[in-house]
């Protein structure tokens, strides 16, 4: 009996003294505002941020036994920061501190006085400043480059590679039974000849919820040639008010593994990989953070599974995809859907106004209309309400009827809701989405010209303030020659050129968008100045008008 008690007591003591059981690094709160692996400008977030509720001076603790091996004091980046080496080989980092404990503070002041500078970056020998688990080593603050008081906390392995703190015993402190929440999905054309639902542009789609663990894409997406899939998804944690990045995502096509990413461990050499893994094109348009589920050229990302593949290609017929998104606590969500190798018909049509105020649309390049989907909206570029078109008579609500095999009649549109979005199912296939103006008045053409890019392909886009229903020409000069090419309407208010590679685009000298209206032309012109910058050449560039400068410092790194 005594022997049994002795063994049980010893076992309990071993658990209590286990050095791998870290304690929470501060008494400020257990509210985390940002996770490891989240997106930051030009880099990944390499730790977690702990909320201090706008206050400085909260206690910061050594998470386990070890010694202080580096002290850094700066106006920028991490500000006042401590680095601890622990007996288990890992390193912990505590950034943006207001001040240190008295013993460390005294050493800092001595170093500042000796070197006649406020700025300190000092390495200490083992044994000089030992710490035990739970020792107060400093106090939270808002020093360095950050957006407000908080504790930025990291754990690194013995060769200084950041690891996800939630993969340690710290992850057990947060109660998390919430499943990742998929917000939308994007299909991305990967070549000049690729189409997504008939267009050579990235297309976004909403997802339907079955349960908190299962979502699906309602429509079968029609694709042609190489493409990729990207997912916008966030995570929640019980009793935490913020949304977070995801821990891992895997993509399967017909149950075969295609791509996977896991935010487990990284290195500071990986910071330039962020925009090869997240979709920069969608992010730059304020569409949010999309995780790309395919590899890209020049990608060497330790987060990405080595079995991952590039674009989806050479698929025929219809295929099922499945995405599994997980958080660090293994809560998972499944997203499923289908894609089909099929091109859509670009509808050729005439329209004219009927005597009763309705509109007739005569389709030229189809055999017979089987069904249709349509909505009406206003002409504005900003998001607006839409009205679904009924398929039978209504006294006041817009409705459409098929009046012969190739024609439609639209009734009850008005001056406000005068923009028709239409897709047809016909005997010879589906049409891609068309935008049709149900108005005879000509609007003043105003809009914004911009340059869009997807990796090495660039597009010239024009966003109309009000939908015109017209297809303008892009006119540009290259090597002294004048080129005129029709643009493509990619959505209600946005028109796009064909894609240009970087070298061709760099030779363009001037640009105009030309609208032909009756017997005259309206031109929207702009000057363009181009310069190629290579990411492997670390130098400073500046346009001659001094409006734009591009710098890249190879050794630059900071976190908040």
């Amino acid at each position: 009996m005594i022997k049994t008690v002795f063994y049980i007591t010893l076992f309990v003591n071993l658990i209590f003294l286990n050095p791998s059981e870290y304690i929470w690094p501060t008494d400020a709160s257990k509210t985390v505002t940002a996770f490891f692996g989240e997106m930051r400008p030009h880099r990944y977030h390499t730790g977690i941020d702990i909320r201090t509720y706008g206050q400085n001076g909260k206690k910061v603790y050594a998470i386990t036994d070890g010694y202080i091996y580096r002290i850094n004091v700066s106006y920028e980046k991490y500000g006042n920061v401590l680095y601890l080496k622990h007996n288990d080989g890992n390193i912990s980092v505590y950034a943006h501190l207001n001040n240190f404990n008295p013993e460390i503070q005294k050493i800092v002041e001595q170093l500042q006085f000796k070197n006649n500078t406020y700025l300190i970056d000092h390495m200490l020998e083992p044994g000089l400043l030992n710490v035990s688990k739970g020792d107060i080593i400093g106090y939270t603050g808002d020093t360095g480059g950050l957006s407000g008081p908080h504790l930025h906390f990291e754990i690194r392995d013995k060769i200084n590679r950041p690891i996800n703190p939630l993969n340690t015993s710290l992850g057990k402190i947060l109660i998390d039974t919430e499943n990742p929440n998929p917000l939308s999905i994007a299909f991305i054309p990967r070549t000049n000849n690729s189409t997504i639902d008939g267009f050579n542009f990235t297309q976004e789609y909403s997802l339907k919820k079955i349960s908190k663990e299962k979502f699906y894409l309602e429509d079968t997406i029609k694709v042609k040639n190489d493409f990729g899939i990207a997912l916008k998804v966030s995570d929640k944690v019980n009793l935490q008010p913020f949304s977070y990045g995801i821990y891992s995502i895997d993509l399967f096509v017909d149950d075969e593994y295609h791509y996977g990413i896991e935010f487990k461990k990284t290195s500071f050499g990986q910071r330039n990989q962020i925009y090869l893994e997240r979709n920069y094109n969608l992010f730059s348009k304020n569409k949010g953070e999309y995780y790309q589920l395919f590899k890209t050229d020049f990608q060497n990302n330790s987060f990405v599974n080595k079995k991952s593949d590039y674009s989806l290609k050479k698929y025929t017929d219809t295929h099922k995809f499945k995405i599994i998104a997980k958080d660090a606590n293994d809560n998972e969500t499944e997203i499923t859907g289908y894609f089909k190798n099929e091109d859509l018909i670009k509808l050729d049509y005439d329209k004219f106004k009927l005597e009763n105020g309705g509109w007739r649309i005569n389709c030229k390049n189809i055999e017979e209309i089987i069904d249709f989907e349509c909505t009406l909206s206003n002409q504005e570029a900003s998001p607006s309400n839409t009205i679904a078109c009924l398929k039978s008579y209504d006294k006041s609500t817009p409705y459409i009827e098929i009046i012969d095999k190739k024609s439609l009649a639209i009734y009850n549109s008005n001056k406000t809701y005068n923009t028709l979005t239409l897709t047809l199912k016909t005997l010879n296939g589906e049409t891609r989405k068309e935008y049709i103006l149900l108005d005879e008045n000509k609007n003043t053409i105003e809009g914004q010209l911009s340059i869009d890019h997807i990796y090495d392909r660039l597009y010239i886009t024009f966003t109309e303030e009000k939908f015109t229903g017209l297809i303008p020409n892009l006119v540009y000069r290259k090597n002294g020659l004048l080129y005129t090419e029709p643009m493509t309407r990619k959505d209600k208010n946005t028109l796009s050129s064909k894609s240009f590679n970087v070298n061709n685009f760099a030779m363009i000298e001037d640009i105009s968008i030309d609208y032909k209206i009756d017997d005259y032309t309206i031109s929207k012109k702009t000057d363009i100045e181009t310069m190629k910058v290579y990411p492997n050449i670390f130098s400073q560039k500046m346009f001659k008008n001094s409006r734009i400068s591009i710098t890249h410092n190879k050794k630059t790194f900071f976190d908040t």
Side-chain angles (χ1 to χ4, degrees):
M1 183 67 176
I2 295 174
K3 189 176 292 186
T4 303
V5 172
F6 173 77
Y7 284 140
I8 292 173
T9 303
L10 178 62
F11 179 67
V12 171
N13 285 340
L14 283 173
I15 291 177
F16 181 76
L17 297 174
N18 186 351
S20 66
E21 293 293 323
Y22 298 147
I23 65 167
W24 196 250
T26 179
D27 69 348
S29 76
K30 289 186 173 61
T31 301
V32 179
T33 61
F35 277 1
F36 180 89
E38 290 183 1
M39 191 176 187
R40 293 293 182 270
H42 312 291
R43 58 190 169 82
Y44 289 103
H45 191 237
T46 53
I48 59 173
D49 289 343
I50 301 173
R51 195 176 192 183
T52 64
Y53 291 91
Q55 298 181 21
N56 294 334
K58 298 296 183 180
K59 295 173 185 176
V60 174
Y61 305 114
I63 60 169
T64 191
D65 299 348
Y67 70 93
I68 295 170
Y69 92 99
R70 184 182 176 189
I71 307 172
N72 191 292
V73 175
S74 173
Y75 298 114
E76 301 176 323
K77 304 174 184 177
Y78 280 177
N80 298 339
V81 55
L82 288 175
Y83 299 77
L84 276 61
K85 279 192 175 179
H86 298 290
N87 298 342
D88 63 2
N90 285 339
I91 300 165
S92 60
V93 183
Y94 312 76
H96 308 308
L97 302 180
N98 187 65
N99 56 298
F100 309 108
N101 73 20
E103 185 178 8
I104 301 170
Q105 193 69 37
K106 184 177 180 180
I107 292 174
V108 167
E109 291 170 0
Q110 290 172 344
L111 289 168
Q112 289 171 329
F113 180 79
K114 177 182 177 180
N115 297 304
N116 193 30
T117 178
Y118 173 80
L119 306 178
I120 299 294
D121 190 1
H122 186 71
M123 312 292 287
L124 288 85
E125 294 294 327
L128 184 62
L129 273 179
N130 291 328
V131 294
S132 297
K133 180 192 291 187
D135 284 352
I136 297 172
I137 56 175
Y139 301 89
T140 64
D142 59 356
T143 57
L146 79 172
S147 57
H150 68 269
L151 176 66
H152 174 80
F153 173 77
E154 297 179 12
I155 296 179
R156 304 177 184 177
D157 67 13
K158 62 183 178 181
I159 58 174
N160 208 43
R161 294 178 301 184
I163 63 178
N164 194 328
L166 300 183
N167 278 349
T168 70
S169 58
L170 294 178
K172 301 174 186 176
I173 295 173
L174 300 179
I175 299 171
D176 183 10
T177 60
E178 300 280 344
N179 293 74
N181 181 35
L183 303 169
S184 55
I185 195 168
F187 281 64
I188 302 166
R190 299 290 291 136
T191 71
N192 290 338
N193 298 319
S194 301
T195 59
I196 309 296
D197 279 343
F199 294 94
N200 183 235
F201 309 113
T202 298
Q203 304 288 327
E204 296 177 87
Y205 304 94
S206 59
L207 296 164
K208 298 287 185 179
K209 184 176 182 178
I210 301 172
S211 65
K212 70 174 188 176
E213 301 96 357
K214 290 184 182 292
F215 289 72
Y216 72 100
L217 178 59
E218 187 172 25
D219 295 328
T220 297
I221 308 304
K222 312 304 189 301
V223 299
K224 202 73 176 175
N225 299 317
D226 301 3
F227 71 99
I229 295 174
L231 182 69
K232 182 162 68 171
V233 58
S234 66
D235 191 30
K236 299 289 285 186
V237 174
N238 301 55
L239 307 178
Q240 304 276 349
F242 301 96
S243 293
Y244 306 99
I246 212 70
Y247 178 71
S248 71
I249 310 178
D250 294 292
L251 169 65
F252 302 84
V253 177
D254 298 332
D255 293 327
E256 290 188 7
Y257 185 84
H258 183 80
Y259 178 91
I261 189 165
E262 183 180 34
F263 295 97
K264 184 177 181 180
K265 179 185 294 186
T266 187
S267 70
F268 292 117
Q270 296 282 303
R271 64 185 182 273
N272 64 348
Q273 294 285 307
I274 184 71
Y275 295 132
L276 296 174
E277 181 260 311
R278 308 290 161 88
N279 188 276
Y280 180 77
N281 176 255
L282 290 167
F283 178 74
S284 65
K285 296 176 183 176
N286 298 316
K287 299 287 189 178
E289 294 183 29
Y290 275 87
Y291 297 81
Q292 293 188 154
L293 306 184
F294 56 92
K295 287 178 65 178
T296 61
D297 292 336
F298 311 111
Q299 192 174 53
N300 181 27
N301 195 324
S302 57
F303 289 139
V304 177
N305 191 302
K306 295 185 183 303
K307 296 179 181 179
S308 297
D309 206 346
Y310 290 83
S311 304
L312 294 160
K313 58 182 68 177
K314 297 180 180 177
Y315 283 98
T316 59
D317 303 321
T318 301
H319 300 269
K320 181 181 180 180
F321 69 84
K322 179 175 69 176
I323 301 169
I324 303 294
K326 290 185 180 181
D327 62 23
N329 209 40
D330 275 340
N331 300 302
E332 71 174 53
T333 300
E334 178 183 280
I335 305 101
T336 56
Y338 293 86
F339 62 86
K340 183 179 182 181
N341 188 322
E342 182 181 318
D343 211 354
L344 298 183
I345 301 166
K346 184 183 183 309
L347 189 63
D348 187 13
Y349 65 90
D350 289 326
K351 64 166 186 175
F352 58 90
K353 194 168 185 178
L354 301 172
E355 291 183 0
N356 60 5
W359 291 82
R360 177 167 176 152
I361 297 173
N362 294 330
C363 306
K364 300 179 181 179
N365 59 334
I366 61 169
E367 293 179 11
E368 182 179 344
I369 300 171
I370 300 172
D371 200 0
F372 58 85
E373 292 182 9
C374 72
T375 58
L376 283 168
S377 62
N378 64 33
Q379 294 172 258
E380 305 297 327
S382 56
S384 62
N385 293 330
T386 60
I387 300 174
C389 300
L390 302 179
K391 296 185 179 182
S392 59
Y393 172 78
D394 188 271
K395 185 176 181 180
S396 57
T397 305
Y399 71 94
I400 293 186
E401 61 180 4
I402 301 171
I403 54 177
D404 61 37
K405 291 183 178 181
K406 297 185 179 183
S407 299
L408 296 167
I410 301 99
Y411 304 99
N412 296 334
S413 64
N414 56 51
K415 292 292 183 181
T416 301
Y417 291 91
N418 60 358
T419 302
L420 179 71
T421 303
L422 177 69
T423 56
L424 301 178
K425 291 184 178 180
T426 75
L427 282 180
N428 49 322
E430 293 185 33
T431 67
R432 71 185 197 184
K433 192 177 292 184
E434 294 290 339
Y435 302 91
I436 303 169
L437 183 63
L438 305 181
D439 200 326
E440 293 177 320
N441 294 329
K442 303 294 190 299
N443 293 306
T444 300
I445 296 172
E446 299 293 343
Q448 181 69 42
L449 191 146
S450 60
I451 308 300
D452 194 6
H453 76 272
I454 304 177
Y455 299 112
D456 58 345
R457 292 180 291 138
L458 295 102
Y459 301 83
I460 298 166
T461 63
F462 185 74
T463 302
E464 299 172 332
E465 289 185 6
K466 288 190 173 183
F467 174 65
T468 64
L470 303 172
I471 301 297
N473 288 323
L474 172 69
V475 181
Y476 61 94
R477 192 175 300 277
K478 186 177 74 172
N479 294 331
L481 299 176
L482 196 65
Y483 294 83
T484 301
E485 297 167 352
M487 300 186 77
T488 299
R489 189 170 291 280
K490 60 185 295 187
D491 59 41
K492 185 181 75 174
N493 292 87
T494 308
L495 296 135
S496 178
S497 71
K498 69 175 186 181
S499 65
F500 296 88
N501 64 40
V502 173
N503 291 326
N504 280 332
F505 186 81
M507 293 186 284
I508 293 177
E509 298 166 9
D510 56 83
I511 293 171
S512 71
I513 309 296
D514 288 2
Y515 284 83
K516 280 195 170 294
I517 300 177
D518 299 329
D519 57 351
Y520 62 95
T521 299
I522 297 177
S523 292
K524 300 294 179 181
K525 296 185 177 181
T526 187
D527 295 325
I528 185 168
E529 192 172 354
T530 61
M531 172 174 52
K532 288 188 288 186
V533 178
Y534 299 89
N536 61 332
I537 299 176
F538 298 91
S539 59
Q540 184 168 332
K541 303 271 187 178
M542 183 174 289
F543 283 131
K544 64 185 179 183
N545 61 13
S546 299
R547 286 185 299 176
I548 299 175
S549 68
I550 298 172
T551 60
H552 194 151
N553 183 348
K554 186 175 182 179
K555 297 181 180 179
T556 295
F557 169 76
F558 66 95
D559 206 335
T560 60

Short mmCIF file of all heavy atoms in Angstrom, two decimals, residues 182-201:
data_model
loop_
_atom_site.label_atom_id
_atom_site.label_comp_id
_atom_site.label_asym_id
_atom_site.label_seq_id
_atom_site.Cartn_x
_atom_site.Cartn_y
_atom_site.Cartn_z
N PRO A 182 -15.98 29.01 -43.59
CA PRO A 182 -15.67 29.41 -44.97
C PRO A 182 -16.60 30.52 -45.43
O PRO A 182 -17.81 30.44 -45.24
CB PRO A 182 -15.89 28.12 -45.77
CG PRO A 182 -16.82 27.31 -44.95
CD PRO A 182 -16.59 27.68 -43.52
N LEU A 183 -16.03 31.55 -46.03
CA LEU A 183 -16.80 32.73 -46.41
C LEU A 183 -17.14 32.74 -47.89
O LEU A 183 -18.24 33.13 -48.28
CB LEU A 183 -16.02 33.99 -46.04
CG LEU A 183 -15.63 34.08 -44.55
CD1 LEU A 183 -14.64 35.21 -44.32
CD2 LEU A 183 -16.86 34.26 -43.69
N SER A 184 -16.20 32.34 -48.73
CA SER A 184 -16.43 32.28 -50.18
C SER A 184 -15.30 31.50 -50.83
O SER A 184 -14.28 31.22 -50.20
CB SER A 184 -16.56 33.68 -50.80
OG SER A 184 -15.42 34.46 -50.49
N ILE A 185 -15.50 31.19 -52.10
CA ILE A 185 -14.51 30.42 -52.85
C ILE A 185 -14.25 31.12 -54.18
O ILE A 185 -15.14 31.80 -54.70
CB ILE A 185 -14.98 28.96 -53.06
CG1 ILE A 185 -13.84 28.06 -53.51
CG2 ILE A 185 -16.17 28.88 -54.02
CD1 ILE A 185 -14.19 26.57 -53.44
N ALA A 186 -13.04 31.02 -54.68
CA ALA A 186 -12.69 31.66 -55.95
C ALA A 186 -12.08 30.62 -56.89
O ALA A 186 -11.32 29.74 -56.46
CB ALA A 186 -11.72 32.81 -55.74
N PHE A 187 -12.42 30.75 -58.17
CA PHE A 187 -11.79 29.95 -59.23
C PHE A 187 -10.95 30.90 -60.07
O PHE A 187 -11.43 31.96 -60.50
CB PHE A 187 -12.85 29.25 -60.08
CG PHE A 187 -13.42 28.01 -59.45
CD1 PHE A 187 -14.14 28.08 -58.27
CD2 PHE A 187 -13.22 26.77 -60.04
CE1 PHE A 187 -14.66 26.94 -57.67
CE2 PHE A 187 -13.74 25.62 -59.45
CZ PHE A 187 -14.46 25.71 -58.26
N ILE A 188 -9.70 30.50 -60.31
CA ILE A 188 -8.71 31.42 -60.88
C ILE A 188 -8.16 30.83 -62.18
O ILE A 188 -7.57 29.75 -62.17
CB ILE A 188 -7.56 31.65 -59.89
CG1 ILE A 188 -8.12 32.20 -58.57
CG2 ILE A 188 -6.50 32.57 -60.47
CD1 ILE A 188 -7.15 32.15 -57.42
N PRO A 189 -8.34 31.52 -63.33
CA PRO A 189 -7.74 31.03 -64.58
C PRO A 189 -6.22 31.14 -64.50
O PRO A 189 -5.69 32.14 -64.03
CB PRO A 189 -8.31 31.98 -65.64
CG PRO A 189 -8.66 33.22 -64.89
CD PRO A 189 -9.04 32.80 -63.51
N ARG A 190 -5.52 30.13 -64.99
CA ARG A 190 -4.06 30.10 -64.85
C ARG A 190 -3.32 30.28 -66.17
O ARG A 190 -2.09 30.29 -66.18
CB ARG A 190 -3.64 28.79 -64.17
CG ARG A 190 -4.20 28.59 -62.79
CD ARG A 190 -3.57 29.55 -61.78
NE ARG A 190 -2.18 29.21 -61.55
CZ ARG A 190 -1.19 30.08 -61.49
NH1 ARG A 190 -1.41 31.36 -61.69
NH2 ARG A 190 0.04 29.67 -61.27
N THR A 191 -4.04 30.38 -67.29
CA THR A 191 -3.40 30.65 -68.57
C THR A 191 -4.25 31.66 -69.33
O THR A 191 -5.39 31.95 -68.95
CB THR A 191 -3.26 29.38 -69.43
OG1 THR A 191 -4.56 28.98 -69.89
CG2 THR A 191 -2.60 28.24 -68.65
N ASN A 192 -3.71 32.18 -70.42
CA ASN A 192 -4.46 33.13 -71.25
C ASN A 192 -5.69 32.49 -71.88
O ASN A 192 -6.66 33.18 -72.24
CB ASN A 192 -3.56 33.69 -72.35
CG ASN A 192 -2.50 34.62 -71.79
OD1 ASN A 192 -2.65 35.17 -70.71
ND2 ASN A 192 -1.41 34.80 -72.54
N ASN A 193 -5.66 31.16 -72.04
CA ASN A 193 -6.77 30.45 -72.70
C ASN A 193 -7.73 29.81 -71.71
O ASN A 193 -8.67 29.14 -72.11
CB ASN A 193 -6.21 29.38 -73.64
CG ASN A 193 -5.36 29.98 -74.75
OD1 ASN A 193 -5.71 31.01 -75.31
ND2 ASN A 193 -4.24 29.33 -75.05
N SER A 194 -7.51 30.03 -70.43
CA SER A 194 -8.38 29.44 -69.41
C SER A 194 -9.63 30.29 -69.24
O SER A 194 -9.57 31.52 -69.32
CB SER A 194 -7.65 29.34 -68.07
OG SER A 194 -6.48 28.56 -68.17
N THR A 195 -10.75 29.64 -68.98
CA THR A 195 -11.97 30.37 -68.68
C THR A 195 -12.66 29.77 -67.46
O THR A 195 -12.62 28.56 -67.22
CB THR A 195 -12.97 30.36 -69.86
OG1 THR A 195 -13.31 29.00 -70.18
CG2 THR A 195 -12.39 31.04 -71.08
N ILE A 196 -13.28 30.66 -66.69
CA ILE A 196 -14.10 30.27 -65.55
C ILE A 196 -15.50 30.80 -65.83
O ILE A 196 -15.70 32.02 -65.90
CB ILE A 196 -13.57 30.87 -64.23
CG1 ILE A 196 -12.07 30.59 -64.06
CG2 ILE A 196 -14.39 30.36 -63.06
CD1 ILE A 196 -11.70 29.14 -63.92
N ASP A 197 -16.45 29.91 -66.02
CA ASP A 197 -17.81 30.30 -66.42
C ASP A 197 -17.78 31.28 -67.60
O ASP A 197 -18.51 32.28 -67.62
CB ASP A 197 -18.57 30.89 -65.24
CG ASP A 197 -19.14 29.81 -64.32
OD1 ASP A 197 -19.23 28.65 -64.77
OD2 ASP A 197 -19.51 30.12 -63.17
N GLY A 198 -16.89 30.98 -68.54
CA GLY A 198 -16.86 31.73 -69.79
C GLY A 198 -15.92 32.91 -69.82
O GLY A 198 -15.74 33.54 -70.88
N PHE A 199 -15.29 33.26 -68.71
CA PHE A 199 -14.44 34.45 -68.65
C PHE A 199 -13.01 34.09 -68.25
O PHE A 199 -12.79 33.19 -67.44
CB PHE A 199 -14.99 35.46 -67.65
CG PHE A 199 -16.31 36.06 -68.05
CD1 PHE A 199 -17.50 35.51 -67.58
CD2 PHE A 199 -16.36 37.16 -68.88
CE1 PHE A 199 -18.72 36.05 -67.94
CE2 PHE A 199 -17.58 37.71 -69.24
CZ PHE A 199 -18.77 37.15 -68.78
N ASN A 200 -12.06 34.86 -68.78
CA ASN A 200 -10.65 34.67 -68.44
C ASN A 200 -10.29 35.54 -67.23
O ASN A 200 -9.26 36.21 -67.20
CB ASN A 200 -9.76 35.02 -69.63
CG ASN A 200 -8.28 34.78 -69.37
OD1 ASN A 200 -7.47 35.68 -69.52
ND2 ASN A 200 -7.93 33.58 -68.96
N PHE A 201 -11.17 35.54 -66.23
CA PHE A 201 -10.96 36.33 -65.03
C PHE A 201 -11.32 35.49 -63.81
O PHE A 201 -12.14 34.58 -63.88
CB PHE A 201 -11.83 37.60 -65.03
CG PHE A 201 -11.72 38.41 -66.28
CD1 PHE A 201 -12.81 38.53 -67.14
CD2 PHE A 201 -10.54 39.05 -66.61
CE1 PHE A 201 -12.72 39.27 -68.30
CE2 PHE A 201 -10.44 39.80 -67.78
CZ PHE A 201 -11.52 39.91 -68.63
#
